[in-house]
Amino acid sequence: MTESAPLASPARQRAKRLLTVVFPLLVLAVALHGLAGAFDEHGYRAVRQAFHDLGTGQLLLAVLLGLASYACLVGFDAIGLRRSGVRVHPARIGITAFLAHALGQTVGFAALTGGAVRLRGYRSAGLDLAQIGQVVLMSTLGFVFGAWVLLGAALCLEPAAAALALPLQVGALQTVGAALWLGYAVAILAVGREGRRFSVFGHALWLPDRRTMLAVTALSVVELVLAAAALYVLLPDSTPTGLPGFVGMYLVAVLAGLVSTVPAGLGVFEWSLLKLLPQVAPGAVLAAALVYRVTYYVLPLLLATLLATAPALRRPLRASAGATRAGWKALRPWLPHIVALAVFSVGAALIVDGTLPAPHRHLHTASLPLLETSHLLGSLAGVVLLLIGQGLSRRSHAAWVLALVICVAAPLPIWLRGGQVLIAVAALLVAVALWTARREFYREGALLDQAWSWPWLRNLGLVLVAVVWLLFFVYSHVEYQNELWWQFALSGNAPRALRALLVVAMAVAIFGIGRLLHSTRGPLPAADEATLQALAPVLAAARDTQACLVLTADKAVLRDEAGLGFVMMQRHGGSLIAMGDPVGPPDVARTLIWRFREEADRLGLRPVFYQVGEAYWQTYLDLGLGLVKLGEEAMVPLQEFTLEGRDRADLRQAWNRGKRSGLSFRVAAADELPALMPELSAVSSAWLDDKAGEEKGFSLGSFDPVYLARFPVALVEAEGRIVAFANLWHAPAGHELSVDLMRHLPDAPKGTMDFLFIELFLWGREHGDTRFSLGMAPLSGLADHRLAGRWSRVASLVARHGERFYGFSGLRRFKSKFAPQWRPRYLAAPGGVHLPAALLDATRLISLEPRH
């Protein structure tokens, strides 16, 4: 039972990931439904009027208060870093913390998203994982402590407001508020001067010392008050509650959004505010909340994008420019993600803009065909930006080109359809950011090759759900009828919005179907004859016969600049797979391992090394790859091989039996093969028919006359006809001999293959070879202990119960009778969810019909 548990975990993980997509969508749908219930059929007009009523002073004050709140958030990182004892440049702290909070607030799951930003930003500054984790914890605790204190104060002082949204009476809420204050006081006394560690439900927790806890709480209180004030100043003057009471309402709405798991609490935050402020006109509340989202979420994201792509940061930096250099180092790893999020935001804005009615003043001057065309093109451009955002975050060059073209061209349809000028300006700013960061988008590959992450699917779904709701909210006064689809008029905003939504839905459906039907990535071009001829000196110096696999002509070749070594590789699925260790001197091989990693990164693929040995394990680990054992290779020492003695009686009998059956052995040189090829082909076809098998590739040769003609071939003959053959691989520098393609007739005498191997051992020893490779026994020599790694336990389980599909133990027994020495072979690949995908890609690549 303990061994089957890992097999079930991928299904559970997929179910959990699906839940992370479906649950926020359901929560958003419910929140938007409740939000719509607070308005009558003229709700959109009320919201639009509330927008017009907002003054310039209110907007500027909201921006300043929001930026002041972000400045306080940066302070949490500074406090956490001070406790770590590592000195970090203030520019790096400010930029990393600002990016962490800007992305965390927008994408959601701030601790995880912000933690990933800090991991990249602070790791190069000398902090280890524990110290970075302390910074993340300090930021999280800052919000918890501040919300703890402020929420307790709000429930004690103004419980009536919270009672509107919470299912509790005023007296009960006051009791809860007093309990929160009492709990905080107890926590202050409990942590003492040194802090305290304790465990809750098996999870280790840590609280800072009393002085740090008070400092973080004070900073958090100021930050939350500033954030609440940034929204409060946007509400009308008739709002009955003051700022102190509103802070508590704000916290309730924020906590509701956090619990919903919807990014930035979209919809949930607004619905909570409407429940908490029943005395304020719903249109004014919703308008204030939407403007607040722009000033508190979109504006910091835009600033982060401009900061990350500032041209000054890309110039050669003098040694004295410490702040600029530190800032650039902190920003650069996150540049593609920031730009991708900005592109996604512009795409969402274009779709939303296509849903809203065009201004009446524009309708009188517009041409109907231009209006209809620009409306559809603008919405189509928006959905394309949503779909390619994932590719941008993975540095896809194709996604970069398409995003740049759309962002440059987007202002034209926006202007033609009378859309928002700010969206056009944002699109141009994002285009500037894309151009400035062009060197960061270098990965090749088609757009359909880009794998989708669950968070990106969730965000796409949230935008589509919100747009559908917005369509019906804006045109709630229009009675739906089928004729709406075909009404073309300057004032036909509702039909245009319906058609735009149809275009968006069709684009998403076509893209999704294309992803499902899209085949795996095409193979890399195989090395041509000239390249293979140029590799002859490297092959002559190889110490491992596995290097001969490059001559199968189904692999691409990555060479070093001096031409002293190479990596044979091929692409399949999401992996770039190298066959074995690089071939060449050790220093060259290590350089090629890094070059292969860079090539995989350029192509947007996971780097995988298949059937590597122990020589370069440290380099693979330095690359961030993990090693899992695939099996063991059988290596027969030829100088010690003999048919004499009691231990070799079975081999001696097999050899004598072959002699009595009339078997003879010889090695045919390469120039003899053209005349022998028809007979060899007949043997190969009969063997394939008898085994009901197909040719393999990549890690094995196939029957290809051009390939076979490159090597001498060992022949076993009986009564003048060939009954078995095997092509010979030779590594002169390593004095190693091996075979690749082995075929025999179904009616060959029993023990023919034993006879062939014994003769090969004797022939190799006579020609000065010291070892003979019998190839790998898959899933052999794996640890089967209950404390062994998950891969070892699963692989052992497969080896035991998959015997009827593949003779794992039988193959090892056959090779063991030649008394070989066993050496391990590994797969080097990224860990986690990438490991099963890498194994699957390698297995499928080997099973493909060879390409010649």
Side-chain angles (χ1 to χ4, degrees):
M1 294 299 291
T2 57
E3 293 175 335
S4 62
L7 297 175
S9 59
R12 290 198 299 268
Q13 290 177 357
R14 285 192 296 271
K16 289 173 63 177
R17 289 171 183 164
L18 184 61
L19 185 62
T20 61
V21 174
V22 174
F23 181 72
L25 292 177
L26 292 176
V27 171
L28 177 63
V30 172
L32 292 178
H33 178 73
L35 197 62
F39 293 86
D40 57 21
E41 64 180 16
H42 301 292
Y44 172 70
R45 295 181 182 177
V47 175
R48 187 174 59 183
Q49 183 60 45
F51 272 120
H52 293 159
D53 293 340
L54 289 172
T56 304
Q58 288 177 283
L59 298 177
L60 291 176
L61 189 55
V63 171
L64 292 176
L65 290 170
L67 293 178
S69 171
Y70 272 86
C72 293
L73 291 173
V74 173
F76 293 134
D77 282 49
I79 294 174
L81 289 169
R82 186 182 62 189
R83 286 188 56 82
S84 70
V86 178
R87 182 176 177 80
V88 181
H89 197 285
R92 181 182 289 274
I93 298 175
I95 292 175
T96 302
F98 180 75
L99 290 181
H101 289 288
L103 293 179
Q105 302 267 30
T106 306
V107 177
F109 301 103
L112 296 178
T113 308
V117 175
R118 293 181 179 93
L119 181 62
R120 291 194 178 188
Y122 295 140
R123 190 71 181 266
S124 58
L127 274 74
D128 57 27
L129 290 177
Q131 292 168 328
I132 297 173
Q134 183 171 289
V135 176
V136 176
L137 179 63
M138 191 65 67
S139 178
T140 304
L141 289 178
F143 172 80
V144 172
F145 292 153
W148 190 348
V149 171
L150 287 175
L151 193 58
L155 294 179
C156 286
L157 301 177
E158 294 197 21
L164 297 173
L166 300 175
L168 294 174
Q169 299 297 322
V170 171
L173 289 173
Q174 289 179 318
T175 303
V176 172
L180 288 175
W181 269 89
L182 179 61
Y184 181 80
V186 171
I188 288 290
L189 295 175
V191 296
R193 296 183 177 180
E194 304 296 331
R196 189 174 298 276
R197 298 178 183 273
F198 56 97
S199 179
V200 177
F201 299 112
H203 297 280
L205 297 177
W206 170 82
L207 289 176
D209 59 89
R210 184 179 302 153
R211 182 178 178 181
T212 303
M213 186 173 175
L214 289 171
V216 169
T217 303
L219 183 62
S220 179
V221 167
V222 174
E223 185 273 321
L224 289 172
V225 170
L226 288 171
L231 174 58
Y232 182 75
V233 297
L234 297 172
L235 293 172
D237 295 335
S238 59
T239 303
T241 183
L243 178 60
F246 179 76
V247 170
M249 300 179 189
Y250 172 82
L251 285 174
V252 172
V254 169
L255 291 174
L258 290 175
V259 172
S260 70
T261 71
V262 178
L266 183 65
V268 180
F269 179 77
E270 287 78 4
W271 178 80
S272 300
L273 286 177
L274 287 180
K275 297 289 290 183
L276 291 165
L277 295 169
Q279 306 93 336
V280 184
V285 174
L286 188 55
L290 293 177
V291 172
Y292 172 74
R293 287 195 175 278
V294 173
T295 59
Y296 196 77
Y297 295 101
V298 178
L299 182 59
L301 178 62
L302 183 60
L303 290 176
T305 305
L306 295 177
L307 183 65
T309 55
L313 294 179
R314 302 194 61 86
R315 297 170 186 164
L317 304 175
R318 300 190 306 272
S320 59
T324 306
R325 184 170 56 253
W328 171 240
K329 288 181 179 180
L331 281 169
R332 188 170 185 177
W334 285 96
L335 191 54
H337 304 280
I338 298 169
V339 173
L341 190 56
V343 167
F344 187 92
S345 301
V346 170
L350 284 172
I351 297 177
V352 170
D353 188 52
T355 306
L356 302 176
H360 289 293
R361 64 180 182 276
H362 178 79
L363 297 177
H364 295 297
T365 60
S367 168
L368 181 58
L370 279 178
L371 183 62
E372 293 286 350
T373 303
S374 61
H375 202 275
L376 293 177
L377 288 178
S379 298
L380 182 61
V383 73
V384 172
L385 291 180
L386 293 183
L387 294 173
I388 66 175
Q390 179 74 66
L392 285 171
S393 67
R394 295 180 177 175
R395 303 173 184 266
S396 167
H397 182 72
W400 175 83
V401 172
L402 188 55
L404 181 63
V405 170
I406 291 176
C407 288
V408 170
L412 180 60
I414 293 174
W415 175 71
L416 289 175
R417 73 184 186 184
Q420 297 294 323
V421 177
L422 289 178
I423 299 177
V425 173
L428 291 177
L429 289 175
V430 172
V432 172
L434 284 164
W435 178 254
T436 306
R438 59 191 179 277
R439 293 185 179 87
E440 303 299 321
F441 301 94
Y442 52 83
R443 287 180 174 173
E444 298 179 359
L447 288 176
L448 290 179
D449 289 338
Q450 301 298 325
W452 279 65
S453 68
W454 293 98
W456 206 268
L457 283 173
R458 177 203 62 191
N459 294 339
L460 176 62
L462 291 173
V463 170
L464 296 180
V465 169
V467 168
V468 172
W469 173 85
L470 183 62
L471 174 68
F472 290 99
F473 177 74
V474 172
Y475 301 105
S476 58
H477 62 285
V478 178
E479 183 178 353
Y480 174 78
Q481 50 186 344
N482 292 331
E483 289 77 7
L484 280 176
W485 294 98
W486 316 113
Q487 289 180 5
F488 296 91
L490 289 176
S491 59
N493 286 310
R496 269 192 294 275
L498 278 174
R499 289 190 289 271
L501 182 61
L502 178 63
V503 169
V504 170
M506 290 178 61
V508 173
I510 292 172
F511 190 87
I513 294 173
R515 288 274 306 156
L516 291 175
L517 298 181
H518 185 58
S519 60
T520 56
R521 292 176 170 90
L524 296 174
D528 55 21
E529 185 62 29
T531 302
L532 296 181
Q533 292 292 338
L535 296 179
V538 183
L539 290 174
R543 304 184 64 83
D544 193 327
T545 52
Q546 188 172 249
C548 297
L549 269 172
V550 73
L551 300 176
T552 57
D554 62 351
K555 303 172 188 66
V557 173
L558 178 67
R559 305 179 65 186
D560 69 307
E561 295 179 357
L564 300 178
F566 65 88
V567 176
M568 42 186 163
M569 62 186 185
Q570 193 48 267
R571 173 174 63 185
H572 189 78
S575 303
L576 184 64
I577 305 172
M579 183 62 225
D581 294 306
V583 180
D587 291 343
V588 173
R590 292 187 182 92
T591 302
L592 282 170
I593 291 174
W594 283 101
R595 283 199 59 193
F596 176 84
R597 176 67 178 85
E598 293 169 355
E599 183 69 9
D601 183 66
R602 185 181 69 84
L603 295 174
L605 303 170
R606 68 176 69 86
V608 179
F609 291 85
Y610 183 72
Q611 284 195 28
V612 299
E614 297 179 306
Y616 306 112
W617 64 269
Q618 289 180 320
T619 308
Y620 294 128
L621 294 181
D622 289 341
L623 258 68
L625 306 180
L627 294 173
V628 296
K629 193 173 184 179
L630 294 174
E632 293 182 322
E633 181 184 10
M635 193 67 63
V636 178
L638 296 183
Q639 299 303 315
E640 304 172 7
F641 181 79
T642 177
L643 294 177
E644 305 298 329
R646 180 180 303 176
D647 294 340
R648 300 299 174 95
D650 292 339
L651 295 181
R652 187 168 57 250
Q653 293 174 6
W655 185 74
N656 288 326
R657 185 167 53 249
K659 289 290 187 180
R660 290 193 299 270
S661 300
L663 299 180
S664 62
F665 170 85
R666 71 184 180 96
V667 175
D671 56 3
E672 299 180 53
L673 293 182
L676 297 174
M677 202 60 68
E679 194 171 358
L680 296 179
S681 178
V683 173
S684 178
S685 298
W687 185 85
L688 288 172
D689 292 340
D690 181 63
K691 301 297 183 181
E694 297 179 351
E695 295 282 14
K696 305 295 183 183
F698 191 67
S699 67
L700 297 169
S702 60
F703 190 89
D704 173 33
V706 176
Y707 167 64
L708 286 178
R710 300 182 187 276
F711 308 98
V713 175
L715 304 175
V716 176
E717 298 173 316
E719 299 178 356
R721 65 173 186 145
I722 299 175
V723 296
F725 72 90
N727 66 318
L728 296 182
W729 285 349
H730 192 215
H735 301 286
E736 181 178 304
L737 191 66
S738 184
V739 295
D740 175 35
L741 197 67
M742 297 179 291
R743 304 284 160 89
H744 63 82
L745 291 173
D747 59 350
K750 183 179 180 180
T752 296
M753 299 309 293
D754 289 346
F755 179 82
L756 172 62
F757 278 112
I758 293 171
E759 288 286 356
L760 281 172
F761 298 157
L762 298 174
W763 183 86
R765 186 180 65 182
E766 292 176 3
H767 286 77
D769 293 310
T770 59
R771 58 187 183 183
F772 190 101
S773 173
L774 290 172
M776 189 178 69
L779 305 185
S780 175
L782 301 176
D784 196 21
H785 193 275
R786 64 183 179 85
L787 297 179
R790 179 176 297 180
W791 161 251
S792 294
R793 288 184 285 132
V794 173
S796 298
L797 182 68
V798 172
R800 287 200 305 271
H801 298 284
E803 193 66 27
R804 58 178 176 173
F805 303 105
Y806 187 94
F808 296 102
S809 60
L811 182 60
R812 183 178 177 94
R813 284 196 302 271
F814 174 80
K815 296 180 179 183
S816 294
K817 63 186 177 183
F818 299 110
Q821 298 173 354
W822 296 95
R823 62 181 186 182
R825 288 288 181 177
Y826 299 94
L827 179 85
V833 296
H834 292 286
L835 177 58
L839 286 166
L840 185 61
D841 286 343
T843 303
R844 288 176 174 173
L845 179 59
I846 295 169
S847 300
L848 287 177
E849 183 178 350
R851 299 168 293 274
H852 300 296

